[in-house]
Amino acid sequence: MKLPLAFPFYAIAQVKPLPTPFSVPIWQKPQTASAFQSLVQAPVDVVIVGGGFMGLSTALHTARLGLGVQVLDGGEIGQGASGLNGGQVIPGLKYDPEWLLEHFGPERGQALVDFAASTADTVFDLIRDEELAVPFTRNGWIQAAHTETALKAAGNRDRQWRARGADVRLLSQSEITAATGAQGYLGGWLDRRAGIIDPLAYTAELARIAAAAGASIAERQKAVKLGKEAGLWRVSTENGAEIRAKAVVLATNAYTDGLLPGLAETIVPLHSFQVATAPLSSNLAATILPEGQAVSDSRRILVYYRKTADGRLVLGGRGRMALPRSEADWAHLQRALVRLYPALSDVPIEKHWFGRVAMTPDHLPHIHEPEKGLLAVVGCQGRGVGLMSALGKRMAGYLANGDANQLPFPLSPIRPIPFHAFRQIGVAATIAWYRTLDAFER
Ligand SMILES: Cc1cc2nc3c(=O)[nH]c(=O)nc-3n(C[C@H](O)[C@H](O)[C@H](O)COP(=O)(O)OP(=O)(O)OC[C@H]3O[C@@H](n4cnc5c(N)ncnc54)[C@H](O)[C@@H]3O)c2cc1C
């Protein structure tokens, strides 16, 4: 049966803004994570609001280029999406190379293709070169196809990246079954450039080396006011601190609040929920993802999963739009887990948590500079581990020498999504609709 794909995604929506869940417990938080409380008094070159991959990578590389940097985070380092994510380090954007070339033209398009191809390298090179204490594997990412249509799309993607020398290949049904141990896939696509990291360890290590490079980092310093004074930006925090700087970078992504009017209205923040099983027995671990790849499936409301360094299976997917009320809000992920791996029906779920991802209407990250020296980056589309690490490095180059060609994406005006105030209803309806379509295709 052929089903319609479209639903007016951003058409209608929300009632009240989502609260920022700074109080959500982070179950993986390592005992050794140090608190950052370094606040400068004198003016600095750059204040970065947000201490996730984007903010910390920008801080690291900006400090290494000799600029004075202050990072402010409203919560703890790692409490945003960067510490909570699925740990899948996947190169590329939502779009394939030919689309990027067609839409951005040969020059900018090619630069974007090269940038997109390099984002996973940025992470793994940093882990290697800086000897970061980050558990990782680099055996690739599988995009698992559950329909003929998805298989065709995988073939198209494979052709485009292989033509550009990427280490990728298609998987037959028997190959994907052997690689995942999961039920229900017709085949898939293996991208060997990708891998897995422990996201919280990576965030903490980025903060450590950014601080070692000279960046000041302060946790629990929520920026509440932006102003300008005698040619300098002034950022005021909830706790009464004031930092003056030549430039400000808002690296708040899906946790963007009202600090810069209109910015939060350019994205749709969605919740991604995850569950982690108890550590698997050696028998189960030998049949589930034996080579340690990460997987995302091809459903409209997709699930993604991987094994952790301590032997758990972690699976994530879309969660409710509002904040969760009880453990029952993760039940759909447990069902997905057992659908893929019936042998896990008796294995307890020991952890569950969630974080926020930022979607933009064109599914691309947006970089804004509404006034000289005031920059904002939003819209990771749920694929920000490599992307934001690499973008932070480029942002540092731009801050240091002012050459906008350093940035892979063009600077764009802040354009609030029409009827943004109603987004929650619209997105929830879209998700329900997509789930129905997915169910028909099982
Ligand atoms: C559950 C989940 C799973 C995901 N899985 C993957 C995956 O497997 N692979 C992948 O590539 N991507 C994944 N992503 C996306 C990825 O985690 C993000 O794209 C990335 O972490 C974004 O980094 P960031 O630095 O831009 O934002 P964040 O890490 O969210 O950092 C933003 C920071 O801004 C701070 N902040 C906000 N407002 C203020 C303020 N006013 N003052 C001070 N600080 C403020 C917040 O406290 C937060 O720490 C996932 C995301 C989630 C939520």
Side-chain angles (χ1 to χ4, degrees):
M1 177 172 24
K2 191 141 176 66
L3 290 160
L5 293 180
F7 191 89
F9 193 6
Y10 297 103
I12 27 178
Q14 162 193 355
V15 193
K16 56 181 177 23
L18 291 167
T20 303
F22 283 139
S23 59
V24 171
I26 304 175
W27 63 269
Q28 312 118 305
K29 185 100 178 160
Q31 300 299 311
T32 52
S34 53
F36 293 95
Q37 289 305 335
S38 174
L39 266 180
V40 292
Q41 301 301 321
V44 284
D45 293 302
V46 188
V47 172
I48 298 168
V49 181
F53 300 144
M54 181 65 209
L56 294 170
S57 175
T58 304
L60 167 69
H61 296 288
T62 306
R64 286 198 174 159
L65 289 171
L67 273 62
V69 182
Q70 172 73 61
V71 178
L72 302 172
D73 198 290
E76 290 177 18
I77 294 298
Q79 205 165 324
S82 297
L84 299 168
N85 65 68
Q88 305 197 354
V89 191
I90 307 167
L93 299 163
K94 292 281 170 182
Y95 297 106
D96 293 326
E98 288 173 4
W99 188 97
L100 293 172
L101 287 164
E102 194 185 324
H103 282 78
F104 287 94
E107 205 173 316
R108 169 73 76 173
Q110 188 54 49
L112 258 176
V113 172
D114 295 342
F115 171 77
S118 75
T119 57
D121 289 341
T122 304
V123 175
F124 291 112
D125 289 355
L126 200 65
I127 291 174
R128 182 198 58 212
D129 297 345
E130 307 284 336
E131 298 180 358
L132 303 186
V134 178
F136 76 95
T137 54
R138 196 175 187 181
N139 282 338
W141 166 68
I142 294 171
Q143 196 164 33
H146 73 297
T147 61
E148 290 294 342
T149 311
L151 261 188
K152 234 182 248 168
N156 192 22
R157 178 158 296 152
D158 181 65
R159 174 185 60 73
Q160 295 184 38
W161 279 116
R162 233 166 354 98
R164 290 164 175 82
D167 188 2
V168 298
R169 76 179 182 89
L170 287 171
L171 299 175
S172 67
Q173 187 163 27
S174 60
E175 285 173 323
I176 198 166
T177 304
T180 61
Q183 296 197 345
Y185 297 132
L186 302 182
W189 184 61
L190 173 63
D191 186 339
R192 286 193 191 280
R193 300 169 296 179
I196 291 169
I197 53 153
D198 178 317
L200 187 58
Y202 176 58
T203 313
E205 283 288 86
L206 263 184
R208 180 182 64 77
I209 59 172
S216 296
I217 302 177
E219 296 176 312
R220 295 192 192 84
Q221 289 286 352
K222 182 176 177 176
V224 289
K225 200 168 157 208
L226 265 178
K228 235 177 165 182
E229 190 181 87
L232 289 176
W233 288 99
R234 193 185 58 234
V235 182
S236 315
T237 77
E238 206 170 35
N239 303 340
E242 292 215 330
I243 297 108
R244 281 165 298 140
K246 290 181 198 151
V248 178
V249 178
L250 303 184
T252 49
N253 218 330
Y255 295 86
T256 296
D257 52 22
L259 187 60
L260 176 60
L263 185 62
E265 288 73 31
T266 66
I267 56 166
V268 175
L270 299 177
H271 284 154
S272 192
F273 282 36
Q274 292 188 80
V275 292
T277 65
L280 303 179
S281 67
S282 52
N283 282 352
L284 276 175
T287 57
I288 296 177
L289 297 168
E291 289 171 29
Q293 280 102 0
V295 183
S296 308
D297 75 16
S298 56
R299 290 186 164 78
R300 293 174 190 84
I301 307 298
L302 61 79
V303 294
Y304 52 91
Y305 48 100
R306 64 169 170 122
K307 280 196 299 199
T308 58
D310 63 350
R312 302 169 193 274
L313 189 71
V314 172
L315 181 140
R318 191 72 71 232
R320 51 187 259 116
M321 286 292 290
L323 295 178
R325 296 155 304 192
S326 73
E327 281 187 32
D329 288 327
W330 280 264
H332 63 294
L333 296 181
Q334 195 165 2
R335 285 195 297 274
L337 194 76
V338 174
R339 172 170 49 76
L340 292 164
Y341 297 107
L344 292 183
S345 59
D346 294 333
V347 176
I349 299 295
E350 284 196 346
K351 322 273 185 187
H352 56 270
W353 69 102
F354 75 102
R356 202 175 278 175
V357 299
M359 312 299 283
T360 54
D362 61 6
H363 301 292
L364 286 167
H366 294 169
I367 309 178
H368 309 294
E369 192 173 19
E371 279 188 61
K372 190 75 196 141
L374 175 59
L375 287 138
V377 183
V378 288
C380 62
Q381 324 298 324
R383 196 185 280 190
V385 180
L387 175 68
M388 292 307 180
S389 302
L391 207 47
K393 196 170 177 180
R394 299 293 189 94
M395 179 62 81
Y398 180 54
L399 289 165
N401 61 29
D403 176 7
N405 288 323
Q406 303 258 340
L407 300 171
F409 303 95
L411 290 166
S412 59
I414 292 178
R415 277 199 203 98
I417 296 168
F419 306 110
H420 188 269
F422 297 101
R423 69 178 188 258
Q424 209 168 353
I425 299 164
V427 175
T430 306
I431 289 172
W433 174 240
Y434 281 178
R435 276 197 213 287
T436 309
L437 295 180
D438 284 339
F440 271 105
E441 289 174 349
R442 225 164 249 176

